[in-house]
Amino acid sequence: MPDAVGLLDEGGTVIACNPSFKETFGQDAEKVIGKKCYQLVHRAQGHIEACPLVRSLRSQRRETIEMSVGEKTFLAVTHPLETWEGEGRGFVHILRDITHEKRIERALKRSEERIRTITEKSLQALLVFQDFRVRYANAKAAEVSGYSIDELLALPPERVKALVHPEDQALVWERFRERLEGK
């Protein structure tokens, strides 16, 4: 299992863990077992407020957060374990390395921002249609059409069709239909 999984007592001491847990912290089993989770994860001398274990101790429920540890980002989950009698006795602590996903997310956000900047500053009127509705319009499209962007986005399909010059409608809507068919 690639996720780091540790079994913790109520004080946050690691009492068992899988190989990924040890690898995540670059230590042998004997150096991980018996240590406090906050020493391993947060390099701290005590529990930190944002830790899902602290939150699980309060709520007695599963708690999940995203957290950075050094250069890596983890999805951290702490789930209370109960005895057969229903009394709390420990926690499962799972760390999933989501560093790669977060890098992709940041790159996508930067790309979206660049595209938004390009389209918003374009001297061309740009409209995106879906199901004969305007789903996106830039400022130039609003200027050229005489509608505000909000008005363009609210237009019913018959009014959207009227945005195209009458002489061009047959060609435009035929190409639109062909595009929907994958041609």
Side-chain angles (χ1 to χ4, degrees):
M1 176 178 204
D3 294 343
V5 180
L7 189 59
L8 312 176
D9 68 13
E10 288 183 296
T13 302
V14 179
I15 54 178
C17 63
N18 71 346
S20 293
F21 195 90
K22 295 174 238 172
E23 290 169 18
T24 297
F25 301 107
Q27 298 190 21
D28 298 326
E30 49 283 349
K31 292 182 180 174
V32 172
I33 304 298
K35 281 221 173 168
K36 298 288 189 180
C37 61
Y38 52 77
Q39 293 172 313
L40 296 167
V41 178
H42 306 293
R43 308 278 194 261
Q45 296 304 311
H47 291 293
I48 66 167
E49 201 59 33
C51 180
L53 177 62
V54 172
R55 292 169 52 189
S56 281
L57 283 165
R58 282 193 201 115
S59 70
Q60 286 301 305
R61 293 184 181 181
R62 176 185 175 163
E63 296 287 346
T64 305
I65 64 164
E66 282 185 14
M67 56 188 253
S68 296
V69 178
E71 298 283 320
K72 294 190 174 198
T73 304
F74 292 96
L75 180 66
V77 179
T78 303
H79 189 85
L81 296 174
E82 296 180 1
T83 64
W84 291 109
E85 294 82 33
E87 298 173 15
R89 75 166 200 216
F91 296 86
V92 173
H93 197 12
I94 303 169
L95 295 169
R96 174 168 288 161
D97 186 346
I98 57 170
T99 306
H100 181 70
E101 291 85 348
K102 294 309 265 182
R103 284 184 186 139
I104 291 170
E105 193 177 285
R106 286 190 296 272
L108 178 60
K109 189 173 183 174
R110 284 191 304 271
S111 177
E112 287 172 346
E113 288 169 359
R114 280 193 298 267
I115 289 170
R116 188 176 301 109
T117 299
I118 290 168
T119 59
E120 289 301 318
K121 295 186 186 283
S122 175
L123 298 177
Q124 298 288 322
L126 299 172
L127 294 157
V128 175
F129 298 99
Q130 182 182 20
D131 301 324
F132 294 101
R133 303 294 302 241
V134 177
R135 301 296 182 195
Y136 172 82
N138 69 354
K140 193 64 171 182
E143 179 187 322
V144 169
S145 70
Y147 291 102
S148 71
I149 292 174
D150 289 338
E151 290 170 330
L152 284 168
L153 297 175
L155 287 175
E158 60 277 359
R159 298 282 301 170
V160 170
K161 290 178 183 178
L163 290 174
V164 178
H165 191 278
E167 293 176 15
D168 297 327
Q169 283 187 12
L171 175 65
V172 168
W173 300 121
E174 177 61 20
R175 286 189 179 163
F176 187 75
R177 185 188 57 75
E178 288 175 351
R179 186 74 178 133
L180 290 175
E181 293 172 357
K183 297 180 183 176

